[in-house]
Amino acid sequence: GLTKAPDLALRLRADYVTAAGEQRAVTLPDGSRVTLNTESAIALDFVKGQRDVRILKGEAYFDVRSGLPIPFRVAGHFGNVEVRGTAFSVKLDDSEDNVVLSRGAVNVVSRAQPQEHASLSPGEMVSVTATSISPIKKIDTERSLAWLEGRIIFDDQPLGDVLNDLRRYYSGRIFVANSAIERVAVSGNYKLDQPLLVIRSLAEAAGATVTTLPGGIVVLR
């Protein structure tokens, strides 16, 4: 019961939720579209003409309807994004919100330091932490938003970082018994519908062995 309590509390706050390995496309009351990635949750506030969305967990891609006078606002853990008509993604983790712009323009504001903000152009991203906003940097949106096509793409990334991403898509547990494996650089372009096959392929490329145990437990050594 204790392990399920955080998930229950999240579901009570959220309007839309996805489970591990699930994606969901939703049409919002104003006609905008949002696609939730795996293990994500959002809450809506469209009363009295507002167009506000709060991301409670995970990652979401917004295709915002243009031509409306009221700004569309998205709140993460540490920052706010305001637009009128554009397409962008917001990904949350414990330490930062990552905003990636694929079309249009957005303004990202730090909640802790409202005077700090960043205006993004297509192909740019910014990260917001509890204390600051990072410099704007160019990014490969095809790679960053590959999840919209059901894929994960990475190039010369530490296996540990890739496994952290894959954990969001795999309903079981992944353990690494040898920390040296996590530092091995790997590259790939994989479909996400069978994450266990991706894990096995990456383990082989990194020279590791995979042991699967009951309950969806995977051990790399």
Side-chain angles (χ1 to χ4, degrees), residues 78 95 110 112-113 116 128-133:
F78 307 110
S95 60
S110 167
Q113 304 288 340
E116 292 192 22
V128 189
T129 69
T131 58
S132 64
I133 293 182

Side-chain angles (χ1 to χ4, degrees), residues 28-122:
L28 301 178
D30 68 338
S32 299
R33 298 273 296 173
V34 58
T35 303
L36 275 67
N37 200 1
T38 177
E39 290 192 329
S40 300
I42 61 172
L44 308 182
D45 185 359
F46 279 70
V47 299
K48 298 180 180 179
Q50 296 183 104
R51 298 202 294 167
D52 294 347
V53 179
R54 178 173 293 277
I55 303 182
L56 305 175
K57 181 183 180 182
E59 183 174 18
Y61 177 84
F62 297 89
D63 193 343
V64 179
R65 179 184 172 187
S66 61
L68 299 180
I70 301 172
F72 187 99
R73 293 185 289 256
V74 176
H77 288 332
F78 307 110
N80 299 323
V81 184
E82 183 172 314
V83 302
R84 292 188 182 276
T86 187
F88 63 100
S89 73
V90 181
K91 179 182 178 182
L92 309 186
D93 61 29
D94 292 338
S95 60
E96 61 186 15
D97 302 345
N98 294 305
V99 181
V100 174
L101 180 65
S102 64
R103 189 185 72 243
V106 300
N107 190 45
V108 184
V109 181
S110 167
R111 190 171 299 133
Q113 304 288 340
Q115 72 277 10
E116 292 192 22
H117 63 91
S119 297
L120 301 186
S121 298

Side-chain angles (χ1 to χ4, degrees), residues 83 88 92 109 117 140 156 162 166 186 205 220:
V83 302
F88 63 100
L92 309 186
V109 181
H117 63 91
D140 182 349
D156 202 29
V162 178
L166 287 172
V186 293
L220 276 66

Side-chain angles (χ1 to χ4, degrees), residues 135-182:
I136 296 172
K137 66 179 181 180
K138 289 288 186 179
I139 193 168
D140 182 349
T141 54
E142 181 180 0
R143 180 176 302 172
S144 298
L145 302 176
W147 63 270
L148 291 167
E149 305 296 330
R151 307 194 72 86
I152 182 171
I153 302 174
F154 45 92
D155 182 30
D156 202 29
Q157 296 293 310
L159 177 59
D161 292 351
V162 178
L163 289 176
N164 284 337
D165 261 346
L166 287 172
R167 284 185 173 96
R168 299 188 299 135
Y169 298 91
Y170 183 60
S171 59
R173 303 288 296 277
I174 304 171
F175 297 96
V176 180
N178 181 359
S179 61
I181 298 171
E182 296 183 307

